Amino acid sequence: DVRTEDCPVSLRTGDWKYYRRLSGERPLLFDLAADPDESYDVGALHPEIAMRLESIARTHAAELARSPRGWRH
C-alpha cells in the first residue's frame, strides 16, 4: 500500500509554487514571479501562504486516499 503522505507534493497557485519531497521534510515555497528558476525558498518569509498550500495539498491527498484512481465521487 502506498501512503499518500509519503508521496512528493507539488502545487502551484498563481505565482506561488509549493513543493515537498517527502513527508517530514521541510517544504519549499517559491515566488515564481520573482524567482522563475526556483532558486530561493521563501517559505520563512510567507508562512501563511505555505500553510494554506499545505492545507490544500493535504485535502487533495485525503481525496486521493478515498479514491485511488483520483476520481471524485
Side-chain angles (χ1 to χ4, degrees):
D1 257 349
V2 174
R3 298 176 345 161
T4 55
E5 61 269 15
D6 292 335
C7 296
V9 173
S10 180
L11 176 68
R12 180 173 176 181
T13 182
D15 290 332
W16 299 104
K17 181 176 178 184
Y18 173 88
Y19 179 71
R20 180 176 34 83
R21 288 177 51 125
L22 298 172
S23 180
E25 288 188 8
R26 185 177 60 81
L28 305 172
L29 180 69
F30 301 104
D31 178 355
L32 299 177
D35 177 25
D37 295 328
E38 301 176 17
S39 300
Y40 304 100
D41 175 19
V42 295
L45 299 174
H46 302 283
E48 69 288 350
I49 294 170
M51 289 172 43
R52 180 171 54 90
L53 296 180
E54 173 66 24
S55 177
I56 292 169
R58 287 184 187 275
T59 298
H60 181 68
E63 290 173 2
L64 288 177
R66 286 193 302 275
S67 181
R69 293 184 178 164
W71 299 337
R72 295 184 185 256
H73 298 281

